[in-house]
Amino acid sequence: MRVSNVRRTLLSAAIAGLAALSLTIQPAAAATFPASHPRILVEYDRGSGQQPENVVVTPNGKLNVVLAQSAQIEEVSPGGHRRLLASLPQPADGGVNTPSLGFSLATGLVRTDDGTLYVGYAAGDDSLTGIWRIRPGGKPQRIIPLSTASFPNGMALDERTGRLYIADSTRGIIWRAPITGGTPTAWASGADYEPSGLLGVNGLKLHNGAVWVSNLDQGRLLRVPLTPDGSAGAAQTKASGLTSLDDFEFVGGTDDVVGTLNAANEVALIHPEDGSHSTILTGEDGLRGPTSLALRGNKLYVLSAAFVIEDGKPNILTANFHRTHHH
């Protein structure tokens, strides 16, 4: 009697254990249209500061990736092979004076056709903070200085005028500077751009005659018109209620946007036409605090730096992206 009881208990425990196991090993299929088939392309070592923060796709389909705390820029092949391109000099104190975070980190990234890279650096140091230029095979050079109080983040190049636009997340300013370098000028500033706790303006893109920026703390996507004389028009809120909207990318020529919601651990498809949004990727798909993304053809690349997800490995996730028109 007692033996069969013990056996039954063991058996039910084993079944419960198997059920729990099958729950954990089933492939998570949380990806929602238009995203599908997510998989991890690269996993990083958080301990060595390799937290992927920003990305551009090169014409030959490789990724140029900024690793935030290690202040490195590397190339990642479509198959996940990594190659170091450059390292920025680190502040001796680790960047303790970097506003909001207290550690130095490399941030925004722009690439020109000749392979030259422009990298934002929030270093908490007057001699390091700003925009750095890295020519192919060359040494990094700071060409646009910013003060210790600045937190340069998202960046975009207006190829027509040769000007860089730079989101300064702690000072609530969009800077503008010639890509050749020099002192930047404040192009736009004010309440729309300011932080309300940690970081304000963050991701930045040029699109259809306007500068678009996310405000991380305010959870908003803003469109700032470029007026005929090149100055900033009034900011227009195109979507709100987007928890910790970090970086974003336009879907083709449309105004639709794919955005990373960092602390929410989601990627959302945002429709500025009516301000609506839907979640297309989550932590179940492998996101670990997504910071930025790139869309090339029907491939979506999402970088997770795991700043806010303590138990996660930073990674690059890739997924298929089915382009459709939103009506």
Side-chain angles (χ1 to χ4, degrees):
M1 182 76 180
R2 265 182 21 233
V3 171
S4 65
N5 270 352
V6 170
R7 197 175 289 139
R8 194 176 301 131
T9 310
L10 283 173
L11 188 64
S12 56
I15 289 166
L18 275 173
L21 188 66
S22 68
L23 276 175
T24 56
I25 60 175
Q26 273 171 353
T32 308
F33 189 84
S36 69
H37 298 92
R39 64 182 183 87
I40 304 296
L41 180 67
V42 180
E43 261 194 343
Y44 288 96
D45 173 27
R46 183 193 177 118
S48 56
Q50 295 187 330
Q51 294 172 281
E53 160 71 17
N54 221 304
V55 59
V56 294
V57 186
T58 69
N60 63 4
K62 291 179 175 173
L63 307 180
N64 287 167
V65 174
V66 175
L67 301 175
Q69 277 190 264
S70 62
Q72 296 171 318
I73 299 89
E74 68 173 22
E75 179 187 83
V76 178
S77 74
H81 178 74
R82 298 167 55 196
R83 180 170 77 92
L84 184 67
L85 297 177
S87 301
L88 298 179
Q90 302 248 28
D93 61 7
V96 290
N97 296 311
T98 305
S100 284
L101 297 188
F103 56 84
S104 63
L105 69 163
T107 54
L109 184 65
V110 163
R111 184 186 189 277
T112 52
D113 293 339
D114 63 357
T116 303
L117 298 170
Y118 297 83
V119 184
Y121 198 18
D125 185 308
D126 279 340
S127 67
L128 295 174
T129 299
I131 309 305
W132 290 67
R133 180 177 63 207
I134 304 162
R135 293 204 165 108
K139 273 186 70 153
Q141 259 185 309
R142 186 174 74 153
I143 59 161
I144 299 167
L146 286 165
S147 75
T148 295
S150 282
F151 193 114
N153 211 330
M155 225 179 356
L157 169 65
D158 185 345
E159 302 199 26
R160 202 173 42 84
T161 60
R163 286 167 167 159
L164 278 172
Y165 290 82
I166 304 147
D168 190 331
S169 297
T170 47
R171 295 175 70 185
I173 296 171
I174 298 174
W175 298 102
R176 187 167 74 179
I179 197 163
T180 48
T183 307
T185 52
W187 181 72
S189 60
D192 285 315
Y193 308 104
E194 287 168 5
S196 58
L198 186 68
L199 301 172
V201 281
N202 196 316
L204 187 152
K205 295 283 186 287
L206 280 158
H207 178 72
N208 289 350
V211 172
W212 293 63
V213 284
S214 63
N215 187 313
L216 185 104
D217 283 350
Q218 296 182 23
R220 292 196 289 155
L221 178 67
L222 304 169
R223 178 184 184 273
V224 190
L226 272 160
T227 63
D229 69 0
S231 61
Q236 307 155 350
T237 299
K238 301 306 277 185
S240 57
L242 297 157
T243 306
S244 63
L245 174 62
D246 195 326
D247 191 27
F248 59 92
E249 176 91 80
F250 286 94
V251 181
T254 73
D255 279 356
D256 283 352
V257 160
V258 190
T260 55
L261 308 186
N262 193 330
N265 205 28
E266 293 173 355
V267 170
L269 179 63
I270 304 160
H271 305 295
E273 181 189 322
D274 60 10
S276 67
H277 69 275
S278 58
T279 302
I280 62 171
L281 291 167
T282 70
E284 287 181 53
D285 300 303
L287 299 181
R288 295 292 178 264
T291 44
S292 65
L293 46 73
L295 194 52
R296 185 181 171 93
N298 293 321
K299 273 277 179 244
L300 179 64
Y301 298 96
V302 185
L303 276 57
S304 287
F307 284 121
V308 290
I309 310 278
E310 289 300 324
D311 58 348
K313 280 193 174 179
N315 65 41
I316 299 177
L317 177 148
T318 178
N320 296 341
F321 189 85
H322 308 272
R323 291 170 181 268
T324 63
H325 290 291
H326 172 69
H327 298 293

